[in-house]
Amino acid sequence: MNPKEVQKFVMRYLEATECHVQEKSPSHVTVRLSPEADRDLTNRPYYWSFVERTGAPAETMTLTFVFDPEARAAAAAGASGAAPAPKPATAAQQAAASVAPQPNGGGDSILGRYFGFAPAAASPGRIAYDEVTYGSRRLEQLFGVVRSKGRFVQMFEDVKAPRGAPPAVCHTWLAVNYKVELCCDMKRDELHSLGISLMTGEIVEEFGETLAALSLTPRLPSNTLVQRPVWSIPRAVAALEHYLERELRNYNHDWALDAKARLDDELARVDAYYEELLRGLEDPEQRAAAAAQYEARKREIAWQYAPRVTANVVSAGVFHLGSDTPVLH
C-alpha cells in the first residue's frame, strides 16, 4: 500500500466511527477520536471502566496520523522557514504523561476532578503522534479492528419511498465471501462472493458487485418493511457450501495430478536415502532416532506437496434489499 491508499483506508475508518477531524493535509490528519475509536485504539480499559461506573462524560484523545513522514517534515520546515518543527509527543510519551500530576491540578477534566490530574490528551499541546505507514504497528492495529468489527454485518438498502406511498418492501439476502486455496508446493487463492435469497433460495455469483452499486445503511430506513424470510440462515449456509463444492468439483484438476507426481517423486528419494541409512545402523538407539527422523521427513513432504483445496469464510452479512432492486445474474 502506498501512502495515499493508507490514508484512504484510515479516513474511511475515522468517518465510519464519527471522529472529528481537526486538521488535514495530504500527509497527515489530526482527529479528536470518538468514544468508539478511542476504545479501539488507545488501550485505556481502566479509564473507560471508570467512565462506565461513574457515568461521567468521556474525554477522548486527540491523535495525529502521519501518512508521509518526509512530506510532513518538509511542510513543517517550509512553514517555519527554518529547521523542521519538533515532533509532537508520541503515543507512549502521552500515556506516561497521562498519569503524571499536572501543574494546575488537572483543570476541569474528569480524572482531574476526581483524582487531581488530567489525561495528557486533554492538556493543550499534547497530541499523540503516530506514523501510519504500510507495516507500521498502528496500521496493523487498524487492520485488526476493522477485521474484527467488519467480518459480519447487517445492512439495509436505503430505499427512498415517497411520502404517502405504501411502505417499500425489502427482501433478505445472505452474502458470504469465501477464500478458496488450491494448495500443493505451489498455491493459488480465489475469492468467491456468493449471495443467496432467503425468500427463494436463488444463488447469485459476484454478489459483492451488486452490493457495491447500492446505497446501504446500518439502520432500517423510514417507511420500509422487511418481509419475513422463508429460508433459515443454517439452510442458506448449507446451500451455499453445496454450491461452492459443486463449482470446485468442476475445475480442471490436472494441477493436483502434477502435484501428486511430484509428491511421489520426493517420497521415493527420501525412501531410498533412509532405507539405505537404516540398513547401515546396528545400534538400536541410532536406528530408532533415524526412523523417527524418517517419519517426520515424510510428514513434512506430504504437507508441502500433497494437493488439497480449502475454503474459509472471510466475511459475511445479512442484507435487506429492495424487492425491486435488480440483481446481477
Side-chain angles (χ1 to χ4, degrees):
M1 295 177 71
N2 59 42
K4 289 185 178 179
E5 292 172 331
V6 171
Q7 183 175 22
K8 182 179 179 181
F9 169 77
V10 173
M11 293 306 300
R12 288 182 61 187
Y13 169 80
L14 296 177
E15 292 170 3
T17 53
E18 300 181 347
C19 296
H20 175 63
V21 176
Q22 297 180 342
E23 183 180 329
K24 181 182 177 184
S25 78
S27 61
H28 85 289
V29 64
T30 299
V31 294
R32 181 81 177 201
L33 299 180
S34 65
E36 178 184 357
D38 194 286
R39 291 173 184 268
D40 291 341
L41 303 179
T42 62
N43 191 26
R44 300 195 295 166
Y46 295 113
Y47 171 75
W48 284 106
S49 174
F50 165 80
V51 170
E52 292 171 356
R53 290 197 309 270
T54 63
E59 296 176 1
T60 60
M61 294 175 64
T62 299
L63 303 181
T64 292
F65 297 128
V66 177
F67 310 108
D68 191 337
E70 294 182 0
R72 174 63 175 161
S80 63
K87 291 183 179 181
T90 64
Q93 291 169 339
Q94 183 184 25
S98 67
V99 297
Q102 302 298 314
N104 62 358
D108 293 329
S109 69
I110 299 175
L111 297 183
R113 291 194 295 270
Y114 280 84
F115 299 110
F117 62 87
S123 302
R126 290 191 180 274
I127 298 177
Y129 171 100
D130 272 317
E131 292 184 0
V132 186
T133 56
Y134 189 69
S136 66
R137 294 181 63 183
R138 179 66 84 182
L139 186 59
E140 289 300 316
Q141 181 190 32
L142 285 165
F143 284 157
V145 169
V146 172
R147 279 195 297 266
S148 65
K149 292 194 171 185
R151 193 176 181 191
F152 302 102
V153 298
Q154 177 175 226
M155 303 290 284
F156 300 84
E157 183 180 0
D158 193 7
V159 182
K160 305 296 184 183
R163 290 186 178 180
V169 177
C170 286
H171 291 170
T172 303
W173 290 74
L174 173 66
V176 182
N177 293 320
Y178 293 97
K179 180 182 179 182
V180 175
E181 298 178 342
L182 292 81
C183 306
C184 54
D185 53 324
M186 296 178 285
K187 184 180 177 183
R188 188 178 82 194
D189 293 341
E190 298 179 349
L191 182 64
H192 293 255
S193 180
L194 303 179
I196 180 170
S197 169
L198 299 189
M199 298 300 299
T200 64
E202 175 190 8
I203 295 177
V204 176
E205 295 185 0
E206 304 298 336
F207 195 68
E209 295 183 6
T210 298
L211 299 176
L214 302 177
S215 175
L216 301 174
T217 174
R219 298 176 180 84
L220 178 66
S222 60
N223 201 27
T224 302
L225 298 176
V226 175
Q227 190 167 348
R228 184 172 183 175
V230 176
W231 284 46
S232 66
I233 295 293
R235 181 186 177 189
V237 169
L240 288 178
E241 291 178 351
H242 179 72
Y243 178 89
L244 182 61
E245 181 180 358
R246 186 172 67 249
E247 290 294 306
L248 295 176
R249 287 183 182 277
N250 292 331
Y251 275 26
N252 182 339
H253 291 294
D254 288 346
W255 67 273
L257 299 177
D258 295 340
K260 181 63 167 58
R262 293 194 296 274
L263 171 62
D264 293 340
D265 184 58
E266 288 293 322
L267 287 176
R269 293 180 186 179
V270 171
D271 290 342
Y273 172 79
Y274 278 99
E275 287 172 2
E276 181 69 21
L277 176 65
L278 290 172
R279 279 196 297 268
L281 294 176
E282 297 181 358
D283 183 87
E285 292 185 3
Q286 291 182 341
R287 286 180 61 86
Q293 189 180 59
Y294 179 26
E295 293 299 322
R297 181 61 180 148
K298 288 196 293 184
R299 289 194 298 269
E300 179 183 339
I301 291 175
W303 176 85
Q304 181 178 1
Y305 285 89
R308 58 195 181 277
V309 179
T310 63
N312 296 294
V313 175
V314 176
S315 58
V318 173
F319 296 86
H320 307 282
L321 308 181
S323 57
D324 297 330
T325 298
V327 177
L328 297 178
H329 295 278

